[in-house]
């Protein structure tokens, strides 16, 4: 096993990164995959949404293990990794991670500290999903440097045009300078309100602008108050509202992600022949 690592990234805030990370992760676990979720946001939203309401009280977080990588201190087996009752593991984060972002500036191989950490746990998982913070700073660059691919959630309410360009530039730069194998799995439309034509227009626009250069997931995640409720509950949409449209959406997304991975594996074995 060598986990496929996916960054869920967009520097625009509130587009559904954390919600996607948690529910895609648990969706994959429900399909029998071993999944590690990594909270790379000092706000700790992913940790909170998985039930750790006060991440600042956790002793060991991503900041701790990245600190150990920087100082070359050996890590214990599964050090700091929490297990969620819906079958995923979590490396939580809290405000200490913003201090880490500062100390990264002076660290050796500062862009690959997170990758070095993931290399120590990769063999134990099928998938590692990284919940990125809403910025293109050092932590997001670390996440991109450590990933095989990126999923870009885009909120269907707003025209993403300019922000997306910046993200694509950063991805391109990471690919050229640090991680040549980094791929874009696709753009995921989130919070789609099917009662308006606006979402459809944005979808059409995105396909026209980016459709030739990258995949736009055929699954859209619908807008629903049920989705907004889950982070307070500390559980996934699959247990909060299993028959709802958002659960359906994340189930379909899970299938699409598994399909991409299957094709990648096949491609790899074809090349190996
Ligand atoms: P940030 O940039 O702050 O990290 P984010 O991109 O991680 O934000 P989320 O935290 O996942 O975005 O979602 C933003 C808000 O929208 C949250 O309050 C969340 O509960 C809500 N939300 C997420 N998905 C949906 C949905 N499908 N329908 C309705 N509300 C949603
Ligand atoms: Mg978030």
């Amino acid at each position: 096993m060598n986990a496929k690592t996916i960054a869920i990234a967009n520097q625009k805030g509130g587009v559904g990164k954390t919600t996607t990370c948690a529910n895609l992760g648990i969706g994959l676990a429900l399909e029998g995959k071993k999944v590690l979720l990594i909270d790379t946001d000092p706000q700790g939203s992913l940790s909170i949404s998985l039930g750790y309401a006060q991440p600042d009280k956790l002793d060991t977080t991503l900041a701790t293990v990245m600190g150990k990588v920087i100082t070359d201190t050996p890590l214990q087996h599964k050090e700091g990794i929490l297990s969620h009752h819906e079958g995923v593991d979590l490396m939580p984060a809290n405000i200490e991670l913003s201090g880490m972002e500062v100390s990264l500036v002076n660290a050796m191989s500062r862009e690959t500290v997170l990758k070095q950490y993931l290399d120590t746990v990769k063999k134990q998982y099928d998938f590692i999903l990284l919940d990125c913070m809403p910025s293109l700073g050092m932590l997001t660059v670390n996440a991109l440097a450590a990933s095989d691919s990126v999923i870009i959630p885009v909120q269907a309410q707003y025209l993403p045009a300019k922000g997306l360009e910046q993200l694509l530039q950063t991805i391109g730069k990471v690919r050229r300078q640090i991680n040549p194998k980094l791929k874009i799995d696709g753009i995921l439309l989130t919070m789609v309100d099917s009662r308006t034509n606006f979402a459809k227009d944005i979808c059409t626009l995105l396909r026209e602008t980016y459709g030739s250069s990258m995949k736009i997931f055929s699954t859209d995640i619908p807008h629903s108050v049920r989705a907004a409720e889950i982070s307070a509950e500390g559980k996934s949409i699959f247990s909060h509202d299993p028959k709802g449209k958002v659960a359906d959406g994340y189930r379909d997304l899970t299938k699409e992600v598994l399909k991409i991975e299957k094709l990648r594996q096949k491609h790899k074995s074809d090349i190996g022949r």
Side-chain angles (χ1 to χ4, degrees), residues 10-21 23 41 43 45 131-135 153 155 190-192 221-231 246 250:
N10 188 339
Q11 81 279 16
K12 179 152 176 41
V15 295
K17 294 181 287 294
T18 302
T19 308
T20 297
C21 189
N23 291 288
D41 184 346
Q43 288 187 80
S45 320
D131 182 30
C132 292
M133 63 188 293
S135 91
Q155 192 182 355
T190 61
M191 298 182 229
V192 176
I221 306 299
H223 186 279
S224 159
V225 285
R226 305 311 296 273
E229 288 161 5
I230 53 178
S231 82
V246 174
Y250 279 113

Side-chain angles (χ1 to χ4, degrees), residues 50-228:
L50 290 173
Y52 297 91
Q54 291 180 298
D56 290 350
K57 296 207 167 136
L58 293 167
D59 282 337
T60 307
T61 61
L62 186 60
T64 322
V65 295
M66 284 177 74
K68 289 198 171 182
V69 169
I70 290 174
T71 56
D72 248 334
T73 312
L75 290 160
Q76 308 292 315
H77 178 68
K78 288 205 162 190
E79 182 167 345
I81 293 180
L82 305 167
S83 56
H84 186 265
H85 58 89
E86 289 184 71
V88 293
D89 280 355
L90 167 71
M91 171 53 73
N94 63 22
I95 193 69
E96 273 182 53
L97 196 57
S98 53
M100 175 54 53
E101 181 153 42
V102 176
S103 37
L104 276 175
V105 173
N106 293 313
M108 209 188 278
S109 314
R110 58 188 182 170
E111 290 93 357
T112 58
V113 173
L114 180 55
K115 178 186 171 6
Q116 292 174 62
Y117 167 62
L118 293 189
D119 285 345
T120 70
V121 292
K122 251 186 155 163
K123 291 218 154 49
Q124 298 157 49
Y125 297 96
D126 298 304
F127 285 89
I128 298 178
L129 306 186
L130 308 174
D131 182 30
C132 292
M133 63 188 293
S135 91
L136 293 172
M138 209 33 113
L139 285 166
T140 299
V141 168
N142 261 264
L144 295 173
S147 295
D148 298 299
S149 65
V150 195
I151 291 177
I152 307 171
V154 167
Q155 192 182 355
Q157 265 98 325
Y158 303 101
L159 288 175
K162 209 171 171 193
L164 213 48
E165 286 304 325
Q166 267 179 17
L167 176 60
L168 296 178
Q169 269 174 23
T170 302
I171 291 171
K173 204 165 165 190
V174 169
R175 192 184 279 144
R176 283 189 300 278
Q177 299 186 10
I178 315 169
N179 180 10
K181 68 181 184 0
L182 181 64
K183 295 193 175 53
I184 299 176
D185 280 342
I187 292 179
L188 172 69
L189 283 168
T190 61
M191 298 182 229
V192 176
D193 187 346
S194 50
R195 292 166 307 179
T196 68
N197 281 326
F198 200 50
K200 266 191 219 145
D201 294 348
I202 289 176
C203 198
T204 309
L205 185 85
L206 277 170
R207 281 182 210 282
E208 278 170 10
T209 317
Y210 300 106
S212 59
S213 55
M214 78 182 90
K215 178 186 165 77
I216 298 174
F217 283 98
S218 42
T219 310
D220 293 344
I221 306 299
H223 186 279
S224 159
V225 285
R226 305 311 296 273

